[in-house]
Amino acid sequence: METKFGSKVHIMDHPLVAHKLTIMRDKNTSVKDFRELVSEIGMLITYEATRDLPLTTKHIETPICGMDAPTLAGRKFVVVPILRAGLGLVDGVLRMVPSARVGHIGMYRDEETLEPHPYFCKMPKDVAERDVLIVDPMLATGGSAAEAIDEMKKRGCKHIKLMVLVAAPEGIEHIQKLHPDVEIYAGALDDHLNKNGYIVPGLGDAGDRIFGTK
Ligand code: PRP
Ligand code: URA
């Protein structure tokens, strides 16, 4: 879907994503259903976020004849969830890209200042050689995602994408200002942030709804 944010921002335009997100937004949806839907939408957005993976060919024999058939060129890939809520998306990404490695970044947002506080980082040793997909259900102020991108760049990563379920315009603007090279894939673009830094209409606190902590 075209937006004012230009070609590096991809908002999903697919009825399945729209339908599943509506169920997630409903405050009466159970923890079990919410968790399953995070994973399913994660898989669907991964499909879009991997559209530019390079292909090569290999020779195979079908039951009918030989052919030079397309196969992934074998670029190395790492999915990086921002803890906690990003964990909910990992399974969906791995179902699409089973050979991906997983790096973890722990970050929580101070509820008063909305500033991100990193508390954990564990990456594969060769992370600088890998294409990076940072995943988090929510892009609100963009502080957490920007900090995570900083962390990956410090480690030498050059090809970084960010995948979220719901994005606020404020968050996209923040990432584009600090990291204009990073492509953003979002299930939906919402209206604005409220005074507490929550996305409106949004889906509430994603971590609490995935893990049932409220
Ligand atoms: C949520 C969400 C993002 C962040 C988004 O995490 O999962 O990481 O807030 O907000 P921002 O764009 O304004 O930084 P939270 O800090 O609630 O931690 P949690 O995942 O442990 O629930
Ligand atoms: N974090 C969430 O989990 N939800 C929001 O709406 C904003 C930040």
Side-chain angles (χ1 to χ4, degrees):
M1 186 192 290
E2 290 272 323
T3 65
K4 63 172 181 171
F5 299 109
S7 62
K8 287 207 177 276
V9 175
H10 310 266
I11 309 296
M12 295 306 105
D13 188 10
H14 195 290
L16 284 178
V17 174
H19 177 81
K20 287 174 192 292
L21 263 175
T22 296
I23 303 173
M24 290 184 69
R25 290 181 192 277
D26 187 333
K27 66 179 183 182
N28 295 314
T29 293
S30 70
V31 169
K32 172 182 172 292
D33 288 349
F34 190 91
R35 195 184 287 147
E36 285 173 4
L37 287 160
V38 173
S39 170
E40 285 173 21
I41 301 178
M43 197 165 64
L44 294 170
I45 305 179
T46 305
Y47 177 79
E48 278 304 318
T50 50
R51 194 175 271 290
D52 59 354
L53 280 184
L55 289 170
T56 181
T57 54
K58 70 171 183 184
H59 190 80
I60 56 163
E61 296 291 329
T62 78
I64 309 298
C65 65
M67 77 176 280
D68 292 322
T71 183
L72 287 174
R75 278 259 283 278
K76 293 178 168 179
F77 195 77
V78 60
V79 52
V80 178
I82 302 178
L83 309 182
R84 283 176 308 167
L87 283 176
L89 287 159
V90 173
D91 165 58
V93 178
L94 291 180
R95 275 196 273 166
M96 292 287 101
V97 193
S99 61
R101 300 297 156 90
V102 184
H104 294 84
I105 290 186
M107 193 108 61
Y108 72 88
R109 194 172 77 141
D110 183 295
E111 286 182 11
E112 299 295 321
T113 65
L114 304 183
E115 288 297 315
H117 291 271
Y119 59 84
F120 183 74
C121 189
K122 181 81 181 171
M123 293 295 147
K125 279 205 175 62
D126 61 353
V127 73
E129 298 159 29
R130 292 180 176 271
D131 288 356
V132 178
L133 183 64
I134 297 174
V135 297
D136 192 323
M138 309 307 275
L139 180 64
T141 65
S144 305
E147 184 82 20
I149 295 166
D150 269 340
E151 191 59 51
M152 301 311 294
K153 287 186 175 174
K154 269 187 223 150
R155 285 163 194 259
C157 300
K158 293 192 176 53
H159 302 113
I160 302 174
K161 291 179 177 177
L162 171 66
M163 175 172 125
V164 300
L165 297 188
V166 181
E170 293 89 332
I172 292 179
E173 276 159 16
H174 190 64
I175 299 297
Q176 288 202 314
K177 191 160 153 225
L178 297 184
H179 299 290
D181 54 305
V182 171
E183 294 206 37
I184 302 173
Y185 294 81
L189 173 61
D190 273 13
D191 198 57
H192 66 281
L193 295 180
N194 69 15
K195 63 180 185 351
N196 300 318
Y198 276 82
I199 300 175
V200 181
L203 43 76
D205 188 308
D208 282 339
R209 294 196 67 190
I210 292 170
F211 297 110
T213 41
K214 213 164 230 168

